[in-house]
Amino acid sequence: MDVKARLRRGWPYHYTIYGLHVCSDVPLPELKPVAPAEGEVYIYRDVLAPMAEGLERQGNRLRVTPTEALLIYDEVGLLRIADGRYLTYDVPPELPDETLRVLLLGIGLGILMHQRGHLVLHASAVAMGDRVVAFIAEKGHGKSTMAAALHARGYPLVTDDVLVLEEQPDGPPLVLPAYPQLKLWPDALAQAMQTAPDGLPRVHPAIEKRVARLPNGVDRPLPLAALFALRPGETIQIRPLRGQEAFLELLLHTYTRVLLEQTRTSARHLQQVGHLARYVPVLALERPPGLDLLPDVVAAVETFVRRELP
């Protein structure tokens, strides 16, 4: 069913995320419900398989243009993001609801916000007072674990995995609030949050990573105060990254970096990264591998923020 037909029938679910009104034909309990209104983003099931016929696959990408991304995921289905407004899915009916929502609320909305002109980073973040501290790293290198451990210390979760920024003319960008949910491996859940994985849903039936929905998050944009780049090290150490090193770190952890050339947004992206590096400190957070020293790493971050970012 196309969006015009759906508009005539009305939308069963209305939510807000990143400050946008979302109309959806599928329940998204992670998001904050709002009163029915005209949508800025529409999420709905559509027939996408004919669009994929004859297209050459590159990773998960079938077709990417400045206004559209058509993606395919093995044993999951197809996802289309268009015009910074429409997020459609074509998946088998037996696909677990949790898996569909991870896809929609992760890569789906991440690309959609990039299409709307935002800088989107592969990061997890918490609020420390009236500002945000974020963690960037490659997949599986501890972003969510750091956010979970700080949340356990009383800091509200702002986002997990997808950090959406709104540039301000003369200052640090604002972090647009996402929703309070973490995706963690069982050992990280146990160490960071003292939570057993039993009973928590998996992100996919074949994957051990679990979804932990939290009771409260952040519901307003907050300025970004610091970005910690997680790196291995022999001791726990925090040191500033400057100039080209900071710039390259931000480029590396752009959520949509593989799409920049195809979406013809490389120039805009470089400008956004330069603005971010000018106003927000980028710091290397080095620590030994493993989870045993996680409380000490969290304490080091708290001390640094308190002393260096007054």
Side-chain angles (χ1 to χ4, degrees):
M1 178 183 299
D2 64 25
V3 69
K4 292 182 179 179
R6 171 59 74 182
L7 280 169
R8 289 193 293 270
R9 293 181 52 183
W11 295 84
Y13 306 104
H14 295 259
Y15 303 101
T16 184
I17 184 172
Y18 304 131
L20 299 173
H21 187 107
V22 176
C23 299
S24 175
D25 70 351
V26 61
L28 303 169
E30 296 86 351
L31 304 189
K32 180 181 179 181
V34 293
E38 183 177 351
E40 296 164 286
V41 174
Y42 296 93
I43 299 176
Y44 58 100
R45 183 184 292 273
D46 202 359
V47 179
L48 303 178
M51 297 184 184
E53 294 179 2
L55 296 180
E56 183 179 352
R57 178 172 177 175
Q58 294 180 308
N60 292 328
R61 305 183 302 280
L62 288 170
R63 181 172 63 225
V64 178
T65 73
T67 59
E68 180 200 35
L70 181 63
L71 311 177
I72 185 169
Y73 293 89
D74 295 330
E75 300 180 12
V76 174
L78 293 158
L79 194 68
R80 181 175 182 262
I81 310 100
D83 301 320
R85 187 172 174 85
Y86 305 110
L87 175 50
T88 55
Y89 59 94
D90 188 354
V91 300
E94 64 272 15
L95 185 76
D97 294 342
E98 197 73 50
T99 302
L100 174 60
R101 296 201 303 272
V102 167
L103 191 67
L104 294 173
L105 300 178
I107 188 67
L109 284 178
I111 292 176
L112 184 140
M113 295 305 287
H114 174 79
Q115 289 178 346
R116 294 181 75 92
H118 293 278
L119 176 59
V120 184
L121 296 182
H122 202 214
S124 297
V126 297
M128 302 184 79
D130 58 356
R131 55 192 176 174
V132 174
V133 170
F135 301 91
I136 54 179
E138 289 298 315
K139 184 177 181 180
H141 283 68
K143 302 183 302 298
S144 298
T145 301
M146 283 300 303
L150 282 161
H151 171 76
R153 292 275 295 162
Y155 301 104
L157 181 72
V158 176
T159 188
D160 181 32
D161 200 49
V162 183
L163 183 79
V164 178
L165 300 174
E166 184 172 278
E167 191 171 297
Q168 302 300 297
D170 299 305
L174 297 177
V175 178
L176 301 183
Y179 55 97
Q181 178 174 285
L182 288 158
K183 301 184 290 294
L184 292 164
W185 296 103
D187 58 345
L189 265 172
Q191 186 70 26
M193 300 181 66
Q194 305 297 308
T195 300
D198 302 338
L200 293 179
R202 302 184 184 206
V203 299
H204 186 276
I207 300 175
E208 279 293 328
K209 183 178 278 191
R210 306 305 173 99
V211 176
R213 197 176 304 164
L214 308 177
N216 297 301
V218 173
D219 60 4
R220 61 190 175 95
L222 293 174
L224 181 61
L227 281 159
F228 290 89
L230 303 180
R231 296 181 174 183
E234 294 184 0
T235 61
I236 300 170
Q237 179 183 352
I238 298 174
R239 60 179 181 84
L241 302 178
R242 294 189 173 91
Q244 187 178 30
E245 189 178 12
F247 189 84
L248 291 176
E249 193 74 29
L250 297 175
L251 286 179
L252 177 65
H253 299 295
T254 299
Y255 194 79
T256 51
R257 70 178 187 269
V258 297
L259 307 180
L260 293 176
E261 183 176 350
Q262 292 165 300
T263 55
R264 302 175 196 164
T265 52
S266 297
R268 185 190 72 204
H269 176 254
L270 292 175
Q271 182 273 327
Q272 290 174 318
V273 169
H275 184 275
L276 175 59
R278 186 178 310 121
Y279 286 102
V280 177
V282 182
L283 308 144
L285 173 53
E286 299 174 354
R287 75 272 193 248
L291 297 171
D292 293 343
L293 294 178
L294 183 60
D296 297 326
V297 179
V298 168
V301 171
E302 289 181 300
T303 300
F304 183 91
V305 172
R306 185 172 61 252
R307 291 179 179 175
E308 305 297 330
L309 302 173

